[in-house]
Amino acid sequence: MIRGILIGVLALGIAGTAYWGYQEHQEKNAVLINAENNYQRAFHNLAYRMDLLHEKIGATLAMNSKESLSPSLVEVWRLTSQAHGDVGQLPLTLLPFNKTEEFLANIGNFSYRTAVRDLSKDPLTDKEYQTLQTLYKRSGDIQNELRNVQHLILKNNLRWMDVEMALASGKENTDNTIIDGFKTVEKTVTSYDETDLGPTFTNLQTKDENFNKIKGKTISRQEAINIAKKYIKFNGNANVKVTDNGKGSDFGFYSVVIENKKANQEASMDITKKAGHPIWFINNRDINKQVLSLNDANNKASTFLRETGFKNLELFESTQYDHVGVFNFVTNINGVRIYPESVKVKVALDNGDIIGVSAEEYLKSYQTRTIEKPTLTLEQARAKVNPKLKVMEHRQAMIVNDLNQDVLCYEFLGTMGDDTYRIFINAKTGVEEEVDKLKNAEATYKDVL
């Protein structure tokens, strides 16, 4: 009797386990099928959009009307953005595909720059038409390669999940039709000579030149440690670790980590090899009860910047989080704010220590500037602002526009209703370059439960 009961219980257990395993298998298959469907959709969308992109660039070449040309270039830009999105959804993160993505970005940059300007006053030049012809041919090459991959996928019923597994396991060098196909696409783009695109196109490309505007002698690892110790005021012995980033490059940097385990303190800092400027710095420590005011902390931050070689900076904005003051400084040259050159400083309000610095934007943008006089008067620029805006402040400022160009503007700070806005009007053309809505004070909610 007991034996029969045990057998029954065991049988039920086995059946339950089998059912659970079956359910798990079904759920896993459902997830894999969903992922596979998403990959297939993204790839076929990419191939389709490359078809459209090639056709649209070709149509643009045949246009003569300025009214038709700008919308067509905007459409080219839109298609390249969508193609970028499709590539981002494919399991290619471990497979070098950066040249193809860079090529798409270059098409987008070129089409956007030409579309937003007034083509009736500044029409496309012969060199720009030549660039368009080159882009048309190159996009056709990529289109053909993608079509070939698409044909093989459909013909052989290939799965993208196999690609993901091959890349994740490091077996992408094995025979995999999809991976081989995308490597061919990448090789095709890599073979393009950048100079074939012409000097106009080359000038349009935004290059990350890191910190090549910095002047000064190259510091050693020990000098980097000494600089870091001036910032990081640890008591007692501390362990120091230095990493040389960008080895062999004049524009590299040192990463310095200083740790005092006994005091439970740790700080990190990146320092430029040229001249030893701090790119960023953070000191992780507990902040005690506030003693300093925000104004006192601002004075500490200003003094720190002067002593560490930052010149002609003025406070742009300040905020307080718990017991920490955060201050944003920008360069001011003869009353003109240079917004690309900004430095952020965090100050502990318990004792005034500098516990954080972010100077990357400043170091990448800093240069000797010649600021031209504005073409428009203040009154002419003010007339371009929405008349409903109540202007409270105004000044001249330099910003970086959507085309990554420095632009001299009139800056207007004003209110409309309960909101505050910062508006930049191009001092040469009167174009409204940028409108920023400033954050309102956060509402506090009490007794909501």
Side-chain angles (χ1 to χ4, degrees):
M1 180 70 177
I2 296 176
R3 182 182 178 190
I5 293 173
L6 290 175
I7 292 173
V9 171
L10 184 59
L12 286 173
I14 293 172
T17 303
Y19 178 75
W20 175 80
Y22 173 77
Q23 287 290 95
E24 285 287 301
H25 179 71
Q26 289 292 96
E27 290 176 7
K28 182 180 178 181
N29 278 347
V31 171
L32 292 176
I33 290 170
N34 184 58
E36 179 65 27
N37 289 340
N38 286 334
Y39 290 150
Q40 292 284 358
R41 175 185 51 77
F43 171 72
H44 292 298
N45 279 346
L46 174 62
Y48 172 66
R49 286 187 175 118
M50 283 306 302
D51 287 347
L52 292 180
L53 182 62
H54 181 62
E55 292 174 6
K56 182 56 69 174
I57 295 175
T60 303
L61 282 170
M63 290 178 180
N64 189 42
S65 167
K66 307 299 184 293
E67 290 76 16
S68 301
L69 196 55
S70 285
S72 183
L73 287 167
V74 169
E75 181 66 9
V76 169
W77 173 73
R78 184 183 70 83
L79 288 169
T80 56
S81 298
Q82 291 178 332
H84 254 300
D86 294 329
V87 172
Q89 295 178 55
L90 295 173
L92 300 171
T93 52
L94 302 178
L95 178 68
F97 204 58
N98 55 305
K99 287 293 182 181
T100 304
E101 292 184 280
E102 182 182 329
F103 180 74
L104 288 171
N106 289 339
I107 296 177
N109 288 339
F110 177 82
S111 57
Y112 180 79
R113 280 174 174 266
T114 48
V116 297
R117 80 184 194 221
D118 189 346
L119 292 175
S120 61
K121 296 180 181 178
D122 188 12
L124 292 181
T125 64
D126 291 339
K127 288 182 179 179
E128 286 173 326
Y129 270 110
Q130 184 180 349
T131 298
L132 267 178
Q133 289 174 335
T134 304
L135 294 175
Y136 178 65
K137 182 180 183 304
R138 300 303 190 229
S139 64
D141 294 340
I142 296 176
Q143 175 195 34
N144 290 334
E145 295 294 348
L146 285 175
R147 279 184 171 180
N148 185 48
V149 177
Q150 186 178 42
H151 167 72
L152 293 173
I153 289 174
L154 294 173
K155 178 183 176 182
N156 300 315
N157 196 26
L158 301 176
R159 299 192 324 148
W160 278 91
M161 291 304 298
D162 296 334
V163 175
E164 186 173 46
M165 292 177 67
L167 291 173
S169 62
K171 296 179 180 179
E172 67 271 20
N173 292 325
T174 59
D175 184 19
N176 187 299
T177 303
I178 298 179
I179 292 177
D180 292 343
F182 270 84
K183 283 183 176 179
T184 302
V185 175
E186 183 74 353
K187 190 179 295 183
T188 300
V189 180
T190 305
S191 66
Y192 301 159
D193 186 353
E194 190 174 276
T195 56
D196 288 345
L197 296 174
T200 305
F201 187 80
T202 303
N203 291 338
L204 294 179
Q205 296 181 22
T206 302
K207 296 181 179 178
D208 181 9
E209 296 176 331
N210 296 321
F211 309 109
N212 64 346
K213 295 184 177 71
I214 298 173
K215 299 187 183 301
K217 73 179 187 71
T218 301
I219 65 171
S220 65
R221 291 166 65 94
Q222 185 57 50
E223 287 174 314
I225 294 172
N226 295 338
I227 292 170
K229 284 184 174 180
K230 290 180 180 179
Y231 287 80
I232 305 168
K233 301 173 182 178
F234 280 3
N235 297 320
N237 296 324
N239 297 323
V240 181
K241 183 168 65 175
V242 184
T243 305
D244 185 343
N245 294 281
K247 198 169 185 178
S249 169
D250 289 336
F251 313 124
F253 58 92
Y254 293 107
S255 292
V256 183
V257 177
I258 299 181
E259 185 179 21
N260 186 338
K261 291 184 178 180
K262 188 174 181 180
N264 195 27
Q265 292 178 307
E266 181 178 307
S268 304
M269 187 175 189
D270 280 358
I271 305 171
T272 61
K273 289 182 179 178
K274 277 287 185 70
H277 292 299
I279 302 170
W280 65 265
F281 155 67
I282 187 166
N283 182 357
N284 295 308
R285 72 167 177 85
D286 294 330
I287 311 297
N288 299 317
K289 184 178 178 180
Q290 180 175 346
V291 175
L292 300 178
S293 68
L294 203 59
N295 185 60
D296 292 333
N298 171 37
N299 293 334
K300 294 274 188 183
S302 300
T303 301
F304 162 79
L305 290 173
R306 285 195 301 271
E307 290 177 349
T308 48
F310 292 98
K311 299 178 181 178
N312 302 320
L313 292 178
E314 71 167 353
L315 181 65
F316 164 45
E317 59 184 0
S318 63
T319 52
Q320 180 175 341
Y321 302 96
D322 294 329
H323 303 315
V324 175
V326 181
F327 305 92
N328 195 354
F329 294 84
V330 296
T331 297
N332 187 312
I333 301 177
N334 298 325
V336 180
R337 280 185 177 174
I338 313 298
Y339 280 108
E341 297 179 11
S342 67
V343 182
K344 293 182 178 66
V345 181
K346 293 174 68 175
V347 180
L349 299 179
D350 57 355
N351 64 1
D353 278 352
I354 306 300
I355 59 171
V357 174
S358 176
E360 184 171 1
E361 291 181 27
Y362 179 93
L363 295 172
K364 287 186 175 181
S365 303
Y366 178 77
Q367 57 185 293
T368 302
R369 300 174 187 272
T370 301
I371 301 176
E372 299 179 356
K373 290 186 177 181
T375 303
L376 302 181
T377 64
L378 175 63
E379 291 72 24
Q380 289 172 324
R382 176 66 180 84
K384 304 290 184 181
V385 176
N386 189 325
K388 295 180 181 179
L389 186 83
K390 183 180 179 181
V391 176
M392 312 298 290
E393 296 179 21
H394 60 79
R395 64 176 59 84
Q396 290 183 35
M398 184 168 287
I399 65 171
V400 176
N401 65 8
D402 290 340
L403 304 180
N404 202 43
Q405 299 169 329
D406 286 348
V407 181
L408 179 64
C409 295
Y410 284 102
E411 174 189 351
F412 297 95
L413 185 69
T415 59
M416 191 163 59
D418 296 329
D419 297 316
T420 304
Y421 296 87
R422 181 176 285 113
I423 297 175
F424 296 92
I425 303 295
N426 191 308
K428 183 177 180 181
T429 64
V431 170
E432 193 174 64
E433 292 284 351
E434 188 175 319
V435 177
D436 294 331
K437 179 182 176 298
L438 304 187
K439 291 183 179 180
N440 296 327
E442 292 289 338
T444 56
Y445 301 94
K446 296 181 179 179
D447 304 323
V448 294
L449 295 178

